[in-house]
């Protein structure tokens, strides 16, 4: 039958496309979420600093005062614009534009995490008033919990925490050495 998805006799039914691509898809999905988690951790200090600025506090108050539909709009527009950053940067790297891909990735991820994450926290109560949004949010949380239960995720998270702790110790020892030099 032409266009059939049944395996051919040559493959004897043992190598279906789903079986071949499933591990690759899992690796890509886990990498996608890990990149978000690592980027969010790295950008926390900058986000905290921005949250302390008076202009951002006033803007946050204004955003909180919006109704449900303007809140949905103010959240979805940056999300739709910034979510394709990873695939676009991967495409740029794939065509040999390494620096452009890196710049698009770093700037886009930073903007996405700083802007979209903050907008979500500010508008979440209003967004949850939409049944479809609340359902989708619950579904995404379940997916995150599912991926976080994987040993690969746990191991990558431990590795990242160890690197972060090592970096903090190294930076604090460097600062202490500089302080001692200044005292002399």
């Amino acid at each position: 039958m032409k266009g059939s998805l049944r395996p051919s006799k040559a493959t004897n039914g043992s190598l279906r496309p789903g079986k071949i691509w499933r591990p690759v898809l899992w690796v890509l999905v886990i990498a996608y979420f890990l990149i978000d988690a690592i980027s969010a951790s790295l950008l926390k200090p900058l986000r905290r600093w921005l949250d302390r600025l008076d202009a951002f506090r006033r803007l946050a108050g204004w955003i909180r005062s919006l109704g449900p539909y303007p809140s949905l709009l103010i959240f979805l527009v940056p999300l739709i614009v910034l979510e394709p950053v990873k695939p676009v940067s991967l495409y740029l790297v794939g065509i040999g534009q390494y620096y452009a891909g890196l710049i698009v990735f770093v700037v886009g991820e930073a903007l996405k995490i700083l802007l979209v994450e903050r907008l979500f926290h500010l508008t979440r109560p209003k967004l949850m008033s939409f049944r479809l949004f609340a359902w989708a949010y619950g579904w995404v949380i379940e997916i995150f919990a599912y991926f976080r239960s994987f040993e690969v995720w746990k191991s990558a998270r431990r590795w990242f925490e160890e690197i972060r702790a090592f970096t903090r110790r190294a930076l604090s020892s460097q600062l202490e050495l500089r302080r001692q030099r200044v005292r002399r």
Side-chain angles (χ1 to χ4, degrees):
M1 176 180 351
K2 188 175 182 178
S4 173
L5 295 176
R6 293 184 183 160
S8 68
K9 290 182 182 180
T11 62
N12 199 17
S14 62
L15 293 176
R16 293 192 336 243
K19 286 184 179 181
I20 294 171
W21 292 107
R22 185 169 286 159
V24 173
L25 180 63
W26 281 111
V27 167
L28 291 174
V29 168
I30 289 171
Y32 191 89
F33 288 127
L34 275 175
I35 289 169
D36 269 355
I38 291 169
S39 301
S41 295
L42 292 174
L43 291 169
K44 272 184 186 177
L46 179 59
R47 190 197 59 193
R48 287 184 194 134
W49 177 77
L50 287 172
D51 286 345
R52 288 191 301 263
L53 294 177
D54 194 40
F56 281 94
R57 287 182 184 171
R58 285 191 301 247
L59 184 60
W62 176 76
I63 290 170
R64 279 191 200 99
S65 73
L66 295 173
Y69 287 101
S71 295
L72 181 64
L73 183 67
I74 208 165
F75 171 71
L76 285 180
V77 169
L79 178 68
I80 291 167
V81 170
L82 294 172
E83 191 56 39
V85 162
K86 282 184 219 133
V88 168
S89 64
L90 187 62
Y91 170 75
L92 288 170
V93 168
I95 62 169
Q97 300 293 322
Y98 304 110
Y99 294 119
L102 181 65
I103 290 168
V104 166
F105 177 77
V106 169
V107 172
E109 274 297 297
L111 283 173
K112 185 177 83 169
I113 289 169
L114 291 172
L115 183 65
V116 174
E117 181 183 316
R118 188 68 186 130
L119 284 173
F120 176 74
H121 288 294
L122 291 171
T123 59
R124 183 174 178 217
K126 309 273 175 60
L127 296 174
M128 291 302 158
S129 69
F130 297 102
R131 274 193 240 162
L132 181 61
F133 192 93
W135 172 83
Y137 177 71
W139 185 72
V140 168
I141 293 301
E142 284 181 26
I143 289 173
F144 278 140
Y146 178 69
F147 285 125
R148 287 181 179 141
S149 72
F150 288 171
E151 193 55 40
V152 171
W153 180 280
K154 291 175 185 176
S155 142
R157 187 74 184 166
R158 282 190 302 268
W159 180 67
F160 177 71
E161 292 300 326
E162 289 172 10
I163 291 172
R164 193 163 71 175
F166 173 78
T167 305
R168 283 185 180 161
R169 286 192 306 270
L171 289 175
S172 65
S173 67
Q174 287 294 323
L175 287 172
E176 186 59 34
L177 285 173
R178 286 184 184 174
R179 288 182 190 140
Q180 289 175 359
R181 287 182 196 154
V182 170
R183 289 181 197 152
R184 293 181 190 167

